[in-house]
Amino acid sequence: MKLQRMNRRALALGALAVSGALALTACGSDDTGGAGGGSSSNAAAPSNIKCDDASGQVLADGSSAQKNAVDAWVKQFSAACKVEINYKAGGSGAGVTAFTQGQVPWAGSDSALKPDEVEASKKVCSGGQGIDLPMVGGPIAVGYNVPGVDKLVLDASTIAKIFDSKITNWNDPAIAKLNPDAKLPNLKIQAFHRSDESGTTDNFTKYLIATAKKDFPYEGGKAWQAKGGQSAPQSSGVAAQVKQTAGAIGYFELSYAKDGIKTVAIDTGAAEPVEANVENATKAIADAKVVGTGKDLALELNYATKADGAYPMVLVTYEIVCDKGNKADTLPAVKAFLRYAASEDGQKILAENDYAPMPEDIIAKVRTTVETLS
């Protein structure tokens, strides 16, 4: 009874701490995972969040890969600043389109802006253009649902063939060779890919093209191009299909590999197969190079790394914003929010929610750039 009274008192105090904050409404996504399922991101907002003159409502759209990260950030930010942030998470393609059409002041994308998208952004960024700020990293997990198989190793060639309908059964010799101790069932493979344009798809196929071009002869991009398979919208949709479908396999960010979804370890040619986790993703992202010019901080990832412990199937989500010419009514809120997301506290929350923080040299450049937004 004493413990129950303490719990009720703690809940009451927590409610008072956030009673004046505006709630986050995450429209347009069927994910209900929230901000990491009870991690320390639910604690009281850090007192060092700078709100400046931020107020009102900010609408944003884009990458569903970072939705759980944005949820965690918004929970803290909205508790400190009287700003309502509505992040739709409709996918990277939808986010970039909304940004270049002037519908949102900020978007999330798992792929850097293309030249034609930069050109289009100049119409809405008065005197400036859209820039890429790398803010969220993490592994693209390959989740699977194969009864009786608790551990599964695949290499790039096998993954490519599975998602191009060239390997169609779980007891295929190519899979068996990589998993000599597994009892692989005579079960049809149900490969799920994204139905919407997605930066996750773009990065997933970039990995396959870089490491198994012979088995994945496609150009890649946000739209799925390979043959066969089934589709589902957004990362949460693919993850849901994998969870409920025997024989299923799909790709999504590690933060969606929840509730018993098992993930593939990748045979990269390193000493041991590499697991999909935050630490291994960070090792791969640290090998990235900044290739953007001016204030643009687009990165070039090394998908073909064979370094021990480096998980190569990674993505980086960019927050896309105008370097100049931001709308006066939303600039204070967007700038304050991005400042917090790039801060030490904001980046710490990523690791608590199965995302990889940006390497220090990269995030330092992001912090400097955020302060110059105008």
Side-chain angles (χ1 to χ4, degrees), residues 31 33 36 64-69 110 136-144 194 200 235-236 239 250-265 274-282 311 313-315 317 350-357:
D31 175 64
S64 66
Q66 69 165 4
K67 180 187 182 300
N68 293 336
D110 307 322
V136 182
I140 300 174
V142 178
Y144 69 96
R194 288 281 289 273
T200 310
S235 294
S236 55
Y251 59 91
F252 35 78
E253 295 67 44
L254 183 62
S255 66
Y256 290 93
K258 299 176 180 178
D259 302 325
I261 295 178
K262 300 179 180 65
T263 59
V264 169
V274 186
E275 300 285 346
N277 61 45
V278 170
E279 293 77 15
N280 292 344
T282 298
Y311 185 83
M313 197 185 301
V314 295
L315 62 74
T317 295
L350 295 180
E352 297 169 358
N353 289 277
D354 294 324
Y355 292 97

